[in-house]
Amino acid sequence: MISTTLNGAITTSSTSLTLTSSAGFAASNLSSRCYVKIDNEIIYGTLDSGAKTISSLVRGDSISTSGATAAHADDATVELYQIHGVPLDQINVTHTA
């Protein structure tokens, strides 16, 4: 499991987050998005690994296990929500071309 912590709390309306470390974090092979899980919320956005930030966050949509946005405390665990570049929400899903 690839994980780090939040470097600063985020609110329910935050549009970016900062990671303590971006080591091992990368964009999905299916898109330019980086998918992460914080507590029970799945979040994705654009990763700038040099700045350790994920911006343009999409939160509380249908992939979220909670279905809503949540506030997350400083030092909350952030897990990469991808395996081999594939977001976990795309596994065992029927895809049409």
Side-chain angles (χ1 to χ4, degrees):
M1 171 175 71
I2 297 171
S3 67
T4 188
T5 57
L6 278 177
N7 185 359
I10 61 172
T11 67
T12 57
S13 59
S14 292
T15 59
S16 67
L17 60 85
T18 303
L19 305 170
T20 301
S21 170
S22 61
F25 284 75
S28 159
N29 290 337
L30 303 177
S31 69
S32 61
R33 301 173 181 154
C34 180
Y35 289 74
V36 297
K37 181 178 179 184
I38 307 172
D39 299 323
N40 285 327
E41 185 179 6
I42 310 305
I43 300 170
Y44 62 86
T46 304
L47 174 68
D48 180 344
S49 59
K52 302 179 200 170
T53 60
I54 302 176
S55 59
S56 302
L57 297 180
V58 175
R59 306 176 62 188
D61 69 357
S62 61
I63 67 165
S64 178
T65 54
S66 66
T69 62
H72 301 285
D74 182 29
D75 290 326
T77 300
V78 180
E79 300 171 299
L80 184 64
Y81 198 70
Q82 303 171 173
I83 295 177
H84 299 292
V86 178
L88 293 177
D89 70 320
Q90 295 299 307
I91 296 173
N92 292 331
V93 174
T94 301
H95 297 275
T96 55

Short mmCIF file of all heavy atoms in Angstrom, two decimals, residues 21 37 41 62 87 94:
data_model
loop_
_atom_site.label_atom_id
_atom_site.label_comp_id
_atom_site.label_asym_id
_atom_site.label_seq_id
_atom_site.Cartn_x
_atom_site.Cartn_y
_atom_site.Cartn_z
N SER A 21 4.38 13.66 1.51
CA SER A 21 5.33 13.11 0.54
C SER A 21 4.53 12.62 -0.66
O SER A 21 3.45 12.07 -0.50
CB SER A 21 6.10 11.94 1.15
OG SER A 21 6.84 11.26 0.15
N LYS A 37 -7.55 7.95 -1.39
CA LYS A 37 -8.60 7.72 -0.40
C LYS A 37 -8.14 8.31 0.92
O LYS A 37 -7.03 8.06 1.38
CB LYS A 37 -8.86 6.22 -0.22
CG LYS A 37 -9.95 5.92 0.78
CD LYS A 37 -10.20 4.43 0.88
CE LYS A 37 -11.29 4.18 1.92
NZ LYS A 37 -11.51 2.74 2.12
N GLU A 41 -13.48 8.73 2.04
CA GLU A 41 -13.75 9.54 0.86
C GLU A 41 -12.72 9.26 -0.23
O GLU A 41 -11.52 9.30 0.01
CB GLU A 41 -13.74 11.03 1.19
CG GLU A 41 -14.13 11.89 0.01
CD GLU A 41 -14.15 13.38 0.31
OE1 GLU A 41 -13.75 13.80 1.41
OE2 GLU A 41 -14.59 14.12 -0.59
N SER A 62 -20.00 9.80 -7.48
CA SER A 62 -20.46 8.43 -7.34
C SER A 62 -19.37 7.45 -6.94
O SER A 62 -19.68 6.35 -6.48
CB SER A 62 -21.11 7.97 -8.64
OG SER A 62 -20.16 8.00 -9.69
N PRO A 87 -7.33 3.04 -11.50
CA PRO A 87 -8.12 3.40 -10.32
C PRO A 87 -8.96 2.21 -9.86
O PRO A 87 -9.52 1.47 -10.67
CB PRO A 87 -9.03 4.53 -10.83
CG PRO A 87 -8.35 5.04 -12.06
CD PRO A 87 -7.64 3.87 -12.66
N THR A 94 -17.87 -3.20 -16.04
CA THR A 94 -18.04 -3.48 -17.45
C THR A 94 -17.74 -2.21 -18.24
O THR A 94 -18.32 -1.15 -17.96
CB THR A 94 -19.49 -3.93 -17.76
OG1 THR A 94 -19.74 -5.10 -16.98
CG2 THR A 94 -19.66 -4.22 -19.23
#
